[in-house]
Amino acid sequence: MNSLRNFGRGISLNNNYESWKINKYFLVQSLSTPGFNEEAINHAKDLFEVLDGYWNSLKKSQSCNENWFEMDFVQWINRFMTDNISIIITGERGCSMSSYYHTFNSDKSILESSLFDDPKVYNSDKFTQAIKAYLRGVSFFYFVHPFLRRYVPYFKNKANSVLESRDYMLKTIDNIIERRTFDFVNTPQKLKSKHDLLTNLITANHDAKSKMTEFLPDQEIRTVIFDMFLAGTDTSSNTLCYIIYYICRNPHVKQKMVEEIDLVFPNSSDTLCITTNHLTRLKYCEAIIKEASRLMPVLPVAKRVASAECEVAGYTWPAKTIFQLNYASIHMNEKYWTNPTVFDPDRFYLQNDLGELNDDLNNFDQENKKSIHEKDKHSLVIFGGGIRSCPGKKLAMINMLSFIALTFKKYDVELMDVDAPLKTHTDFIIHCLELKIKIKPRK
Ligand code: HEM
């Protein structure tokens, strides 16, 4: 694992408490800068329009049955999230969706008349693939012995390709940081209206240095950005796949959800001015996200290492004991959940008491009044718990709620085969391998 060279650096795989603490502090500060959330919503909206443009364009070339457009949702949402996280985190627009779109047609006239960005500018679909390969590689490095990785050709080749993905990602990130630092030094006025994480980090770090307080060593900015891509893209995109799957399998849930979306956005153009205030009113949508994530937590297990002797469950454990936290099993425990295998967003939703529900997206995975009867404090751990819990949960919620509202305000969505089981693969996270859906504009 050490040969991934991430231990002691960044955040998510960092086992050095001191550097982790500083990195997480700067990250949390930068994520809570004023304007960050509204900008995140604006990016989600803009990118949805781009995605919608691609879907419409492809629909013309598909011999559509009754106006339905068919697709593998996994492929699109994965690219959407990479482009989304890319602009939120670095302030630079990725071209993952456009690269993917262009794989569908070799017709030059369509390519040339395309309103959308040019994949040749830089191939960020390669970046999306690198994130995937690296994420899978984390568990490969964890489980496969260093001897095999170094000396047995099959494992050695696999290890090399993981390391190549990591290096490609780091190189891309370094280039972005270099451009932003140049702007910060030479044209700081250009950055005044920017609220992306990288600009916030560079600014906060510069302020900390000038006040002689604790600051980030330069190479840590790249590892924090690197971690954000790893932790933010596949988690959000796979969770959205499971959400869409459960919504489509449960028409009564879909109906109730669409009614809520129509209540919050009465006119079809209203989603164009979506704000955090709108999102906090989508309580049933929030309940659906919780329930889908309870049944299918994208991160099913996590680990903790005891830094000193400790007592857990009435036993004393020596320092360095590794604890495996089985989040997926906690979500299925009958002690905390009635009918745990049933998809029932209502367990998180109190219909006639909207005003008293939690209005803060920060507290997304905390209790609400109804579900408190069902579970104890740590029985819903979609975003983990304790000091290592997810710092991106509010951003994740903003992205997922925006996407659901935008999609279901505009489209009827159905599974191509409602009886087909979910196809998944589990390594570090649970990947959705395929989700064939069809969409058509709502009447
Ligand atoms: C639906 C989306 C997401 C889910 C389900 C999710 C879930 C999680 C979970 C369960 C953990 C804790 C792991 C543990 O207990 O050890 C975690 C950690 C983390 N997440 Fe997320 N996450 C999501 C989105 C994001 C986003 C959008 C970002 C940032 C852009 C992010 C950044 C991180 C980071 C940096 C950590 C490591 C925290 C630490 O080690 O201190 N996550 N996430």
Side-chain angles (χ1 to χ4, degrees):
M1 195 73 173
N2 267 335
S3 44
L4 279 177
R5 279 188 257 135
N6 265 350
F7 269 17
R9 292 198 183 148
I11 299 178
S12 48
L13 296 179
N14 194 347
N15 64 350
N16 176 321
Y17 178 71
E18 288 309 321
S19 73
W20 167 83
K21 195 173 68 173
I22 299 172
N23 294 347
K24 196 155 181 179
Y25 170 79
F26 271 87
L27 171 67
V28 172
Q29 291 295 309
S30 304
L31 289 177
S32 24
T33 310
F36 185 85
N37 296 334
E38 296 300 335
E39 196 156 296
I41 297 176
N42 287 335
H43 289 315
K45 220 166 47 191
D46 293 347
L47 284 173
F48 183 82
E49 276 178 47
V50 175
L51 177 69
D52 200 31
Y54 291 141
W55 285 349
N56 275 315
S57 164
L58 289 175
K59 193 172 139 192
K60 286 180 197 142
S61 60
Q62 208 179 69
S63 47
C64 301
N65 186 5
E66 289 177 32
N67 219 14
W68 287 104
F69 169 57
E70 300 170 0
M71 70 175 108
D72 182 359
F73 182 71
V74 173
Q75 302 301 331
W76 282 108
I77 193 64
N78 207 255
R79 270 98 183 169
F80 174 89
M81 269 309 159
T82 310
D83 285 353
N84 184 326
I85 292 293
S86 174
I87 188 128
I88 291 171
I89 298 303
T90 69
E92 288 199 15
R93 170 92 177 271
C95 301
S96 204
M97 280 195 286
S98 100
S99 300
Y100 184 59
Y101 166 73
H102 286 96
T103 62
F104 284 90
N105 60 68
S106 51
D107 182 345
K108 270 225 163 306
S109 62
I110 297 179
L111 272 182
E112 275 154 20
S113 66
S114 167
L115 292 170
F116 310 114
D117 42 15
D118 181 356
K120 286 175 234 117
V121 176
Y122 74 95
N123 181 1
S124 76
D125 204 37
K126 188 170 169 192
F127 195 78
T128 310
Q129 302 307 332
I131 296 174
K132 269 198 172 328
Y134 184 84
L135 261 177
R136 291 191 173 189
V138 173
S139 47
F140 173 81
F141 270 72
Y142 191 82
F143 289 115
V144 178
H145 194 274
F147 177 84
L148 295 174
R149 285 192 262 118
R150 257 175 239 144
Y151 301 111
V152 177
Y154 171 79
F155 294 105
K156 196 175 164 188
N157 290 343
K158 262 193 150 253
N160 284 344
S161 97
V162 175
L163 296 176
E164 268 168 31
S165 299
R166 178 204 60 193
D167 292 343
Y168 176 79
M169 285 180 68
L170 285 175
K171 209 167 127 207
T172 311
I173 291 169
D174 283 346
N175 286 337
I176 298 172
I177 296 177
E178 204 178 301
R179 289 195 284 275
R180 190 63 39 79
T181 313
F182 180 87
D183 284 346
F184 184 80
V185 174
N186 296 294
T187 48
Q189 69 282 5
K190 241 170 87 179
L191 304 184
K192 280 230 161 72
S193 58
K194 273 181 135 2
H195 298 288
D196 61 88
L197 178 74
L198 176 59
T199 305
N200 291 349
L201 272 177
I202 292 175
T203 311
N205 210 28
H206 177 265
D207 290 352
K209 277 181 188 168
S210 58
K211 285 182 198 144
M212 313 261 275
T213 52
E214 223 157 17
F215 61 87
L216 285 175
D218 284 342
Q219 79 271 20
E220 284 294 7
I221 291 190
R222 84 194 294 229
T223 46
V224 170
I225 297 294
F226 180 82
D227 264 12
M228 292 300 99
F229 274 110
L230 283 181
T233 51
D234 278 29
T235 45
S236 307
S237 63
N238 284 294
T239 302
L240 268 166
C241 289
Y242 305 134
I243 292 166
I244 298 284
Y245 172 78
Y246 283 112
I247 291 173
C248 293
R249 295 253 302 188
N250 294 275
H252 64 287
V253 170
K254 182 157 61 172
Q255 175 67 28
K256 191 163 161 180
M257 177 197 72
V258 169
E259 280 166 18
E260 181 183 77
I261 293 172
D262 285 347
L263 196 74
V264 176
F265 303 101
N267 303 311
S268 40
S269 58
D270 289 346
T271 43
L272 296 176
C273 43
I274 188 169
T275 60
T276 38
N277 182 36
H278 287 114
L279 298 186
T280 52
R281 289 166 60 204
L282 294 171
K283 288 296 167 198
Y284 190 63
C285 294
E286 185 183 318
I288 291 173
I289 296 175
K290 283 180 181 172
E291 181 63 347
S293 308
R294 181 187 69 79
L295 284 172
M296 205 41 122
V298 75
L299 210 120
V301 288
K303 287 188 167 54
R304 296 286 186 274
V305 183
S307 53
E309 186 181 276
C310 59
E311 206 183 303
V312 175
Y315 298 94
T316 304
W317 304 89
K320 297 195 180 156
T321 301
I322 299 175
F323 292 91
Q324 174 120 327
L325 314 176
N326 194 334
Y327 294 158
S329 299
I330 295 171
H331 289 174
M332 283 292 155
N333 194 328
E334 289 189 344
K335 203 166 130 195
Y336 310 118
W337 304 97
T338 36
N339 300 326
T341 56
V342 175
F343 177 73
D344 176 19
D346 277 336
R347 68 172 91 235
F348 293 109
Y349 183 65
L350 205 56
Q351 199 166 13
N352 297 318
D353 197 13
L354 285 181
E356 289 191 45
L357 282 180
N358 185 358
D359 260 355
D360 182 358
L361 292 173
N362 261 327
N363 296 323
F364 164 66
D365 58 350
Q366 291 182 7
E367 316 310 305
N368 71 28
K369 276 188 152 188
K370 184 173 180 188
S371 53
I372 207 160
H373 301 304
E374 267 203 294
K375 51 198 170 66
D376 82 2
K377 201 169 162 236
H378 297 293
S379 56
L380 187 69
V381 274
I382 300 163
F383 292 105
I387 57 168
R388 298 297 295 236
S389 70
C390 179
K393 67 183 171 188
K394 186 166 182 181
L395 175 60
M397 273 305 291
I398 285 175
N399 283 338
M400 293 190 291
L401 281 171
S402 307
F403 190 87
I404 293 172
L406 290 159
T407 305
F408 285 90
K409 182 70 199 168
K410 182 145 198 189
Y411 288 110
D412 271 342
V413 183
E414 284 185 15
L415 294 174
M416 299 279 287
D417 177 359
V418 80
D419 298 320
L422 262 173
K423 289 185 189 155
T424 60
H425 168 84
T426 304
D427 41 52
F428 196 46
I429 65 171
I430 307 180
H431 300 266
C432 185
L433 296 179
E434 187 182 82
L435 190 67
K436 292 273 169 76
I437 62 164
K438 53 183 184 174
I439 59 168
K440 81 172 171 193
R442 281 176 63 196
K443 289 191 187 98

